[in-house]
Amino acid sequence: MNLLLETLLDHLRSLGRIEFHERSEHFARLMIITPDGVIAERDLYYDQLHHAHDLKALVDELREEVLHRQRLLQDVG
């Protein structure tokens, strides 16, 4: 799981600060906090991430969620 999480972090670092609120051999709770205050959270399970295409899909999903929330924040501001 640690190698998968490190790979995931490498792809998400550009979005903001990454924190883990829980982390074990088979589970992690990930939080992304962007500089403008957007937060995205995910519960990650090892059996969901053991293929590269699963990891890429998660990265794409998190990126899109952060971008969507940033657009909403700009619309409000």
Side-chain angles (χ1 to χ4, degrees), residues 3-56:
L3 181 58
L4 290 171
L5 292 176
E6 290 304 317
T7 302
L8 185 65
L9 287 175
D10 287 342
H11 292 289
L12 295 174
R13 284 189 210 282
S14 64
L15 295 176
R17 188 174 79 234
I18 312 287
E19 295 180 3
F20 289 99
H21 292 280
E22 292 181 44
R23 192 170 178 170
S24 70
E25 188 176 330
H26 298 285
F27 174 79
R29 178 164 286 141
L30 169 89
M31 180 183 280
I32 300 169
I33 305 165
T34 68
D36 52 358
V38 171
I39 297 173
E41 274 188 279
R42 280 297 181 283
D43 289 345
L44 309 173
Y45 297 90
Y46 176 77
D47 58 344
Q48 295 174 317
L49 301 174
H50 62 277
H51 295 295
H53 66 275
D54 297 333
L55 196 60
K56 179 167 180 354

Side-chain angles (χ1 to χ4, degrees), residues 21 28 35 41 63 70 74:
H21 292 280
E41 274 188 279
R63 261 187 221 284
Q70 285 175 324
Q74 289 172 353

